[in-house]
Amino acid sequence: MITKRIIPCLDVRDGRVVKGTNFLGLRDVSSPVKLADYYSRCGADELVFYDITASAEGRALFTDILREVASTIFIPLTVGGGINSVDDFDRVLKCGADKVSVNSGAIRNPSLIGEAAKKYGDQCVVLSVDIKRVDGVFHVFAKGGREDTGMEAISWIKRGVADGAGEIVVNSIDTDGVKGGFDLEMLQAVCDAVSVPVIASGGAGCAEHFTTLFKTLPGVDAGLAASIFHFGEVAIPDLKKQLAAEGIPVRII
């Protein structure tokens, strides 16, 4: 049986990990290198590193900190932020990333997904989608959740998978940082639409939210969270023990 993955997310701005609510009100948390090392040692299955202002500021992703993070950890690393070309994929992979997450860059240039998948393989290409309800419709947002593209999210995700995205990260802006639980309705719609792994992001506030996620939506492959891990509200070893006790398959070290 395939184990469910628990993935901490490092949102990095100006070389520091930050966290906010509904993508706003960012506050400083810690050093990304220090946190990455901690998560690698305490049982996280993967780590996601987002340079959250790279796209909005129109610059390339910071690579010096990324290299240091990659050299520190012993778990798979997914990296995103400012990924606009196949050259950006190449640069980030050479810094030590295992997978590359593309969001705004794919919105601007949809052919990027197919080009990258052809060169590096579907398993390397992660389509991260920031989604918010607009008049009851799931809309794709760009530039770190700042800009409504007007695109309907499920059709965009299906297109991305058809082009070669091997994994989908569903970021619910509606539930981000609110700690009221994952956006099950949104995640169900995505799981119904694609057959590649789906990662749930946005809304985790306690261990029970992960239990509810995996029991309600067995098609979800992983749960991603930030603040509850960063601020010690939920310890990953304890979370995994609880999930295992509930009959949910997880990797325990």
Side-chain angles (χ1 to χ4, degrees):
M1 186 176 292
I2 298 175
T3 58
K4 301 300 185 182
R5 292 172 286 154
I6 302 300
I7 307 176
C9 177
L10 306 183
D11 291 326
V12 179
R13 182 183 67 174
D14 299 330
R16 298 285 293 178
V17 176
V18 296
K19 188 62 188 126
T21 302
N22 303 126
F23 285 34
L24 302 172
L26 300 177
R27 58 175 169 152
D28 185 82
V29 176
S30 181
S31 152
V33 178
K34 184 186 294 185
L35 269 183
D37 176 60
Y38 167 73
Y39 289 133
S40 181
R41 288 186 288 104
C42 79
D45 297 297
E46 295 185 18
L47 189 67
V48 170
F49 178 112
Y50 286 142
D51 184 340
I52 62 170
T53 57
S55 291
E57 294 171 3
R59 58 169 171 78
L61 181 143
F62 292 124
T63 54
D64 50 350
I65 297 169
L66 174 56
R67 283 193 186 93
E68 197 171 353
V69 167
S71 66
T72 300
I73 65 174
F74 300 96
I75 54 177
L77 175 63
T78 298
V79 177
I83 306 298
N84 296 299
S85 66
V86 172
D87 286 343
D88 289 330
F89 270 78
D90 187 65
R91 183 166 50 87
V92 168
L93 291 169
K94 284 178 178 174
C95 286
D98 298 284
K99 294 182 279 189
V100 181
S101 176
V102 63
N103 189 330
S104 295
I107 293 169
R108 283 189 292 271
N109 175 23
S111 65
L112 174 59
I113 295 172
E115 291 169 5
K118 185 175 181 179
K119 185 169 184 179
Y120 300 109
D122 292 10
Q123 80 289 340
C124 181
V125 182
V126 179
L127 177 59
S128 179
V129 189
D130 298 333
I131 308 175
K132 185 176 182 179
R133 291 168 179 79
V134 178
D135 297 327
V137 178
F138 295 135
H139 276 211
V140 176
F141 276 64
K143 297 182 178 178
R146 297 170 179 83
E147 180 181 291
D148 184 359
T149 67
M151 290 194 300
E152 194 277 319
I154 304 304
S155 57
W156 168 243
I157 289 169
K158 289 171 73 172
R159 175 179 175 177
V161 170
D163 286 345
E167 193 167 77
I168 304 296
V169 177
V170 180
N171 305 303
S172 172
I173 299 175
D174 294 321
T175 61
D176 174 70
V178 177
K179 299 183 181 179
F182 290 99
D183 197 326
L184 301 178
E185 179 191 25
M186 184 182 293
L187 290 161
Q188 180 70 70
V190 175
C191 288
D192 288 345
V194 299
S195 58
V196 300
V198 173
I199 298 173
S201 172
C206 61
E208 287 72 22
H209 289 155
F210 287 87
T211 303
T212 300
L213 170 69
F214 294 130
K215 285 199 164 185
T216 306
L217 301 176
V220 169
D221 290 79
L224 182 150
S227 58
I228 61 166
F229 296 145
H230 299 341
F231 298 119
E233 297 165 41
V234 174
I236 291 176
D238 295 339
L239 169 59
K240 288 194 165 187
K241 287 176 185 175
Q242 180 170 327
L243 291 171
E246 295 280 352
I248 297 166
V250 290
R251 179 185 69 95
I252 298 179
I253 60 173

